Amino acid sequence: MKLKFTTSAVIAAVLTLTACATSPTGRNQVLLYSEDQLAQMGSQAFTGMKEELKISNKSVSNDYVQCVADAITAQVPSTVFSGEWEVVVFDDEQINAFALPGGKIGVYTGILNVAENQHQLAAIIGHEVGHVIAEHGNERMSQSTLINVGSQAVGQVLAANEVPQSGPIMAAIGLGMQVGVQLPFSRTHESEADVIGLQLMAKSGFDPRQSVNLWQNMDAASGGERPMEFLSTHPAPQTRIDNLQANMQAAYADYQAASSRPSCTR
């Protein structure tokens, strides 16, 4: 019992050593890295991807993605990024896209087969930019740093007390962190990015109702091949749809009030 208390106390002490912040949706965050550090990391990662992956040379697709991205990023606060966003279309059948700190957006051509129109593509890009606005990359790296420090401290406690089977105990702690902390944290980030992305696309003049259609398409494209939500880093499609619909009224009001209606064509 004494050891159990000591182990829990060590983890609690580590997790309270935080640099506190608040996300755009009002959620408390732990951010240990500076904006400059994240921007540098994002730029380095993006450069590496451009060197390793094939970049699309289809001007129609590139112009289409750029058009949607320009409308979305125009709504990003200058405190997040004030420069010109770099947008690259990768010639790859992955159904994926991403945005990185430092104003970087990557879209894989595979996702253009799932996003049927500019509104659905705006939902995707808005979601990815939402991760940047909410500093989810910083938060995940900060969480990983704290967990690693905590795990090392627990290992030292077990060794100091000469606890039998300390290896399996540490493995169990690692699994508990993954299922109990890291995976739910990732699902929270995804849900938060969905809401931020919904706001971005609506304020940019894209129909937010199409975000629901997008996730219906994404569900169909997955063919049902996904892990149960409890063990997944992403919410189930229906969970995402329910979350989007719960925030749709406010988003649609923003859409109706938007000063422009983009016309991005393939």
Side-chain angles (χ1 to χ4, degrees):
M1 181 65 68
K2 181 179 179 181
L3 177 61
K4 181 178 180 181
F5 172 79
T6 302
T7 302
S8 300
V10 170
I11 295 175
V14 172
L15 293 178
T16 54
L17 295 174
T18 63
C20 295
T22 304
S23 78
T25 63
R27 181 177 56 81
N28 291 331
Q29 295 178 290
V30 176
L31 305 177
L32 301 180
Y33 298 90
S34 70
E35 292 181 7
D36 288 344
Q37 287 175 305
L38 268 294
Q40 184 177 9
M41 292 178 195
S43 295
Q44 290 174 344
F46 202 61
T47 297
M49 295 188 73
K50 288 189 295 182
E51 293 173 350
E52 295 174 7
L53 299 177
K54 181 180 179 182
I55 296 175
S56 173
N57 58 7
K58 297 179 180 178
S59 59
V60 174
S61 296
N62 293 348
D63 291 345
Y64 171 59
V65 172
Q66 186 74 54
C67 177
V68 174
D70 285 346
I72 292 291
T73 55
Q75 300 298 322
V76 176
S78 59
T79 52
V80 174
F81 183 71
S82 59
E84 182 177 349
W85 288 72
E86 181 180 3
V87 182
V88 174
V89 180
F90 294 102
D91 190 0
D92 192 300
E93 288 306 305
Q94 285 190 59
I95 302 176
N96 204 2
F98 63 89
L100 298 173
K104 311 297 183 183
I105 294 174
V107 175
Y108 294 82
T109 53
I111 209 163
L112 300 179
N113 298 323
V114 179
E116 297 176 337
N117 53 50
Q118 63 170 353
H119 308 285
Q120 293 181 23
L121 180 58
I124 291 168
I125 294 178
H127 168 91
E128 299 303 334
V129 172
H131 281 305
V132 175
I133 291 174
E135 298 191 73
H136 289 159
N138 192 340
E139 194 172 5
R140 289 180 185 180
M141 289 199 307
S142 300
Q143 178 203 40
S144 179
T145 297
L146 292 174
I147 287 175
N148 288 339
V149 172
S151 297
Q152 291 173 7
V154 171
Q156 291 173 359
V157 170
L158 294 174
N161 286 271
E162 299 181 351
V163 177
Q165 303 297 316
S166 60
I169 291 173
M170 288 300 295
I173 290 173
L175 179 62
M177 285 293 188
Q178 182 182 23
V179 176
V181 179
Q182 291 173 308
L183 292 181
F185 211 10
S186 295
R187 293 196 293 270
T188 296
H189 287 171
E190 291 300 314
S191 296
E192 189 169 58
D194 281 344
V195 173
I196 297 171
L198 189 70
Q199 296 168 342
L200 284 174
M201 69 180 294
K203 291 179 180 179
S204 302
F206 297 104
D207 188 347
R209 296 171 297 183
Q210 284 288 324
S211 62
V212 172
N213 300 98
L214 168 69
W215 284 106
Q216 290 171 339
N217 294 347
M218 293 285 276
D219 190 21
S222 72
E225 296 181 2
R226 57 180 182 274
M228 57 188 290
E229 184 170 3
F230 177 64
L231 295 176
S232 174
T233 59
H234 289 60
Q238 189 57 51
T239 301
R240 305 185 87 139
I241 289 171
D242 292 344
N243 183 39
L244 290 167
Q245 289 177 328
N247 291 275
M248 191 61 67
Q249 184 175 354
Y252 193 70
D254 286 336
Y255 170 61
Q256 291 180 308
S259 59
S260 64
R261 290 284 188 269
S263 179
C264 304
T265 56
R266 297 185 186 230

